[in-house]
Amino acid sequence: MEDNTVLYDEILTHGPSQTTLHTILARIKGEGRVNEVIRWCMTFLRVFPKDIYLRKLLAECYLEMGSVGQAETEFLKVSSMMNDL
């Protein structure tokens, strides 16, 4: 897992495409590193503010951590963004 961490950090710090970003964050979440996913989601939402997947992933991570209020806020944003589509 340590090798993956270094590789993932290297990719994420060098501006990955949205598809690559989604894939890596899903893998990091699958490894149980929810805090790290939250940090990266917040970082990349500044770059891709309309990325529904990142917003949903952030909400799921908040929920896993027990931060129901923050999860609800993000899920409401996802819902609003989907209605705008």
Side-chain angles (χ1 to χ4, degrees):
M1 182 164 54
E2 182 64 34
D3 293 333
N4 288 343
T5 301
V6 173
L7 177 62
Y8 295 159
D9 284 348
E10 187 73 23
I11 292 169
L12 292 171
T13 57
H14 285 90
S17 69
Q18 282 180 280
T19 303
T20 301
L21 175 63
H22 297 167
T23 302
I24 290 174
L25 291 181
R27 287 183 184 208
I28 293 172
K29 183 176 179 253
E31 293 174 1
R33 299 183 326 215
V34 182
N35 287 329
E36 190 174 337
V37 175
I38 290 172
R39 182 174 54 85
W40 283 114
C41 282
M42 293 178 75
T43 297
F44 280 101
L45 279 169
R46 286 186 227 122
V47 179
F48 306 112
K50 296 183 180 183
D51 190 318
I52 294 173
Y53 178 81
L54 284 180
R55 206 54 82 187
K56 180 185 82 66
L57 187 60
L58 180 60
E60 290 172 351
C61 288
Y62 280 143
L63 198 57
E64 281 186 33
M65 289 184 54
S67 300
V68 177
Q70 289 176 299
E72 180 183 21
T73 299
E74 294 303 326
F75 279 127
L76 288 172
K77 289 177 186 177
V78 168
S79 177
S80 174
M81 293 168 77
M82 292 188 73
N83 287 335
D84 291 344
L85 292 176

